[in-house]
Amino acid sequence: MLISDFTFSIFFRLIPISRVLSTGHEAPSGLFDADTIFALSSGHGRCGVAVVRISGPAAATALRSMAGLTCHLPPPRTALLRRITDPHSKEVLDRGLVLWFPGSVSGMRPAEAGEFTRRAFQAGKLDLTEVEGLGDLIHAETEAQRRQALRQMSGDLGRLYQDWSRRLKRCLAHVEAFIDFSEDELIEDGVLNRADLSVQELQAEMLQHLKDERRGERLRSGIQVVIAGDTNAGKSSLLNTLCQRPAAIVSPIAGTTRDVVETALDIGGFPVLLSDTAGLRDSRDVVEREGVRRARERVEQADLTLVVVDCAHLPLDGGGAVASLQGHLRSVLPSQQHPDTGCLLVLNKVDLLSETQRWKLKEELSGVYGLPPVCPISCQTHQGLKDFLTVLHSRVQTLCGDPLSGGPTLTQARHRAHLQQCVASLAQYQRYRDCDLALAAEGVRLALTSLGRITGRVGAEEILDIIFKDFCIGK
């Protein structure tokens, strides 16, 4: 539960919030003045316990009138079991715990969406990255998403950007001080050289931060895994096997799947959006051709492609299996994609092979370079499924990374866009440093603004503070 100052919270059982705070009577004086807000913090729906949060200058009045407190408020941050009553009729609505968090702010109205968090941001208790981390934590569906969101909400990402912002402010302050006061010989030698070094270091750190292969963004929104291949290879069967329900129609008739069928999965704590696509073949059917076009489009957008092949149709004599599989990969994957990256080769219907045929296939594929990991499975008997899931989990984990190890990662496209603008602005400083110092300083200022748009914190006053603190100009 997020608690700010000037707040009290009530833990109820099953009484609707409308009965608790909207009793149908005219409110006593001072209860609904100006800007006191309330909301159901525990979420909507049936539950055994509900939490109502009230924040604002009339919070104390509301607490006294509803919890039957005639004189003193309860000790701060101490739970008190009270009868919750209608402030007019004195009808008992429920029994619950009340907690008082004293402060000073001020009518009462339902809180707007996110208003408590907005107040925390405006009060400087959270920056924008922490606010976004809170939102991601609320919407997290897997364990890895929860870990990443919790780390961002705790301020890891914000502290990194605030450190960069602090260093940029110092650079800008030194450059502007040199522009304004160097002729008066009030600036020590080497100021610009130190600014040059800081800009180079910051640019290198930001570029390294941007080279994260979108791991944090993938983890936040889900990894796009696409099942692709020829018709009747068992793509829909694989989808149904992985999601453990009949999500897609399975039929021996070629071309049954026409459109993209999507389902969300949790694979080892990582979020996956799994897509089954139309079989890739030439067709005169207009609808099927559109399905094939959409399938190829999804493959181009995929983080990971599962190329499904009917291994019962592979040439197992004369060493033709490898060449056949390479042909399958060329027909499915985009021309610019190397088969070793972003792809798993799933050999389905292995149960239709004899023991001798399976041994020959394994022998031919062993030690072959240029193929992605090969996973022989049977969607019918689940043979090889455990090993395939192990390989799939390993790939998914690699794509997302460990949210708790290393430095904090980018989680939103807007972070990436602002950081790219920041790097470009630092390049402007380097470009104009020797010919126009004012334009070079403007580059640092633009970089600082771009960085401030990520955290929501930037101010010109802080730059002036650094100038006068570092150089004592004017005493």
Side-chain angles (χ1 to χ4, degrees), residues 13-333:
R13 292 194 299 273
L14 297 173
I15 298 299
I17 189 172
S18 57
R19 287 200 64 199
V20 175
L21 292 173
S22 302
T23 58
H25 301 287
E26 183 181 352
S29 175
L31 187 58
F32 291 90
D33 295 337
D35 206 18
T36 296
I37 58 176
F38 67 88
L40 184 64
S41 294
S42 53
H44 297 278
R46 296 178 180 272
C47 59
V49 176
V51 180
V52 175
R53 182 176 175 185
I54 302 173
S55 178
T61 305
L63 178 56
R64 288 192 182 96
S65 62
M66 297 181 67
L69 300 171
T70 55
C71 301
H72 301 293
L73 291 168
R77 294 169 293 280
T78 301
L80 187 66
L81 180 63
R82 301 293 297 179
R83 288 188 175 89
I84 311 302
T85 62
D86 184 309
H88 300 278
S89 68
K90 304 304 178 184
E91 175 191 357
V92 176
L93 302 175
D94 200 352
R95 284 175 31 135
L97 295 173
V98 297
L99 291 96
W100 169 243
F101 299 85
S104 141
V105 209
S106 188
M108 192 176 294
R109 61 175 174 80
E112 297 177 3
E115 188 168 359
F116 284 104
T117 307
R118 177 184 286 271
R119 286 189 175 193
F121 168 70
Q122 291 172 339
K125 296 180 179 180
L126 299 172
D127 68 18
L128 283 183
T129 63
E130 292 168 324
V131 170
E132 289 167 332
L134 173 59
D136 290 346
L137 183 63
I138 292 171
H139 295 101
E141 296 179 343
T142 71
E143 183 62 19
Q145 285 179 318
R146 184 193 67 80
R147 289 172 180 169
Q148 176 172 273
L150 195 59
R151 184 176 183 183
Q152 182 170 328
M153 190 184 75
S154 69
D156 275 17
L157 193 63
R159 281 190 290 273
L160 174 65
Y161 295 156
Q162 287 162 20
D163 176 64
W164 287 348
S165 180
R166 176 187 58 78
R167 290 157 64 186
L168 277 176
K169 288 171 188 173
R170 187 170 296 277
C171 286
L172 180 59
H174 289 182
V175 173
E176 292 192 339
F178 186 89
I179 294 172
D180 293 338
F181 304 109
S182 60
E183 294 181 359
D184 301 328
E185 298 183 353
L186 296 172
I187 304 298
E188 62 188 63
D189 294 335
V191 167
L192 280 184
N193 291 334
R194 290 199 295 272
D196 293 344
L197 181 60
S198 293
V199 167
Q200 291 173 6
E201 291 174 347
L202 283 165
Q203 193 174 35
E205 290 174 26
M206 291 177 188
L207 286 171
Q208 186 62 37
H209 186 57
L210 286 166
K211 294 177 182 177
D212 64 343
E213 298 179 345
R214 294 180 53 249
R215 286 191 293 270
E217 292 169 72
R218 282 198 191 102
L219 180 53
R220 179 177 178 270
S221 58
I223 303 165
Q224 299 286 335
V225 178
V226 175
I227 304 174
D230 291 345
T231 56
N232 270 13
K235 300 183 299 299
S236 297
S237 296
L238 179 59
L239 176 81
N240 293 344
T241 300
L242 291 176
C243 68
Q244 299 181 349
R245 63 184 178 87
I249 298 173
V250 175
S251 166
I253 302 172
T256 301
T257 302
R258 301 291 186 92
D259 206 348
V260 177
V261 179
E262 294 181 338
T263 185
L265 296 179
D266 179 342
I267 297 182
F270 295 93
V272 167
L273 185 63
L274 187 64
S275 301
D276 178 27
T277 59
L280 302 178
R281 67 172 182 176
D282 294 328
S283 175
R284 296 180 180 179
D285 188 296
V286 176
V287 177
E288 187 173 0
R289 284 206 304 271
E290 174 61 19
V292 171
R293 186 196 67 78
R294 295 186 182 189
R296 295 198 179 279
E297 184 178 64
R298 284 303 180 97
V299 170
E300 291 180 355
Q301 298 168 351
D303 297 312
L304 180 64
T305 303
L306 307 180
V307 179
V308 183
V309 177
D310 183 349
C311 66
H313 293 165
L314 289 176
L316 300 179
D317 297 321
V322 172
S324 178
L325 290 174
Q326 289 172 338
H328 276 288
L329 292 171
R330 284 193 297 269
S331 68
V332 173
L333 300 178

Side-chain angles (χ1 to χ4, degrees), residues 389-463:
L389 288 174
T390 300
V391 175
L392 179 60
H393 175 259
S394 177
R395 277 299 180 97
V396 166
Q397 188 174 30
T398 300
L399 287 168
C400 289
D402 184 350
L404 297 183
S405 67
T409 58
L410 292 161
T411 61
Q412 306 239 5
R414 78 171 195 91
H415 299 171
R416 187 174 301 278
H418 289 315
L419 276 178
Q420 288 169 339
Q421 292 171 0
C422 187
V423 170
S425 298
L426 292 180
Q428 175 179 324
Y429 171 85
Q430 295 169 326
R431 187 163 59 250
Y432 290 104
R433 194 288 197 191
D434 294 327
C435 59
D436 192 327
L437 203 53
L439 279 176
E442 182 63 18
V444 180
R445 185 178 293 105
L446 290 173
L448 187 58
T449 300
S450 296
L451 202 56
R453 284 176 179 151
I454 301 178
T455 62
R457 295 175 180 172
V458 63
E461 193 65 33
E462 295 172 332
I463 298 168

Side-chain angles (χ1 to χ4, degrees), residues 3-15:
I3 298 297
S4 60
D5 293 341
F6 58 83
T7 296
F8 86 83
S9 297
I10 312 174
F11 294 78
F12 293 107
R13 292 194 299 273
L14 297 173
I15 298 299

